């Protein structure tokens, strides 16, 4: 089980965002919560509730498996206790960020994502051409005992040819400025589960 109290963790994320524009926390999500979320994601996948993810927004959205191959389901509050608990954590984080960075973050949209073996998401920025509300990206990983040789890294492009790879290990939370950092998801040899979400500001 994780032992760090939650409040200093929020403070560290806010601090990292202010100084670097991104933050990686390896023990953000309590272990029992990642287990429940992974189970629920698998269950929804088995019931055919996850759909191939699209590129773009609204009517312009199209599925392109040579760009991204994950399956997703958007999350709503009020259907599952573990999902609600996760959304509660994100709400606390939103408040903490707003108190300090004055970004005017208004809401949080998020989805389960399942990348089957071999699936990837090519290098991109998390901003739509016609909508700049997405401000901060948060990715929570749900994969217990992920091994480096299983691939599936989130590769962050940090400028000056610097890259930073993040293993999609359970309990890890990655937070970054959506418009600032190009990133990609590398293919893995096993199912790769996560919850990806965005804090959005007013239109
Ligand atoms: C995305 C994305 C990263 C990850 O869904 O836009 O970049 O590690 N996800 O799953
Ligand atoms: Mn992305």
């Amino acid at each position: 089980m994780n032992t760090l109290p939650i409040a200093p963790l929020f403070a560290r994320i806010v601090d990292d965002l202010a100084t670097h524009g991104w933050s990686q926390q390896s023990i953000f999500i309590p272990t029992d919560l990642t287990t429940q979320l992974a189970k629920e994601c698998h269950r929804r996948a088995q019931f055919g509730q996850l759909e191939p993810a699209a590129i773009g927004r609204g009517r312009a959205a199209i599925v392109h498996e040579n760009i991204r191959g994950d399956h997703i389901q958007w999350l709503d509050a009020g259907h599952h206790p573990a999902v609600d608990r996760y959304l509660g954590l994100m709400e606390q984080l939103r408040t903490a960020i707003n108190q300090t960075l004055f970004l005017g973050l208004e809401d949080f949209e998020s989805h389960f994502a399942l990348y089957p073996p071999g699936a990837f998401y090519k290098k991109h920025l998390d901003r739509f051409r016609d909508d700049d509300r997405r401000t901060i990206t948060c990715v929570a990983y749900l994969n217990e005992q992920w091994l480096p040789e299983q691939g599936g890294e989130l590769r962050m492009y940090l400028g000056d040819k610097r890259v930073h790879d993040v293993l999609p290990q359970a309990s890890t939370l990655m937070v970054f400025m959506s418009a600032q950092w190009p990133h990609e998801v590398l293919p893995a040899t096993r199912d790769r589960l996560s919850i990806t979400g965005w804090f959005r500001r007013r239109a």
Side-chain angles (χ1 to χ4, degrees), residues 85-109:
R85 207 172 137 205
Y86 180 72
L87 294 176
L89 281 173
M90 290 297 108
E91 183 55 23
Q92 279 178 265
L93 179 57
R94 186 180 75 86
T95 307
I97 295 172
N98 275 344
Q99 275 169 4
T100 321
L101 301 181
F102 309 110
L103 291 171
L105 303 176
E106 198 176 44
D107 67 5
F108 183 68
E109 57 172 6

Side-chain angles (χ1 to χ4, degrees), residues 161-179:
K161 297 191 175 143
R162 273 189 312 143
V163 298
H164 174 72
D165 286 350
V166 181
L167 287 183
Q169 176 65 43
S171 289
T172 295
L173 180 77
M174 188 67 193
V175 184
F176 58 91
M177 302 306 294
S178 305

Side-chain angles (χ1 to χ4, degrees), residues 3 27-28 33 36-37 41 44-45 50 57 98 130 144 150 156 162 175 180 189 193 196:
T3 49
I27 53 161
F28 183 80
L33 181 55
Q36 290 161 23
L37 289 168
C41 182
R44 293 184 188 192
L50 272 58
R57 195 175 73 92
N98 275 344
D130 61 342
E144 267 154 49
Q150 292 170 329
M156 302 283 298
R162 273 189 312 143
V175 184
Q180 191 175 358
T189 57
L193 273 55
T196 304

Side-chain angles (χ1 to χ4, degrees), residues 53 68 70 72 111 113 115 121-122 124-126 134 137-141 152-156 166 168 174 176 183-186 192-198:
R68 74 183 286 192
D70 56 328
I72 68 165
H111 60 61
Y115 290 73
Y121 193 162
K122 285 270 161 76
H124 65 280
L125 274 177
D126 286 351
R134 283 184 174 180
T137 306
C138 302
V139 195
Y141 299 105
E153 296 91 344
L154 166 66
R155 176 161 291 172
M156 302 283 298
V166 181
M174 188 67 193
F176 58 91
H183 55 280
E184 72 175 310
V185 177
L186 301 176
R192 178 193 192 273
L193 273 55
S194 62
I195 296 179
T196 304
W198 295 271

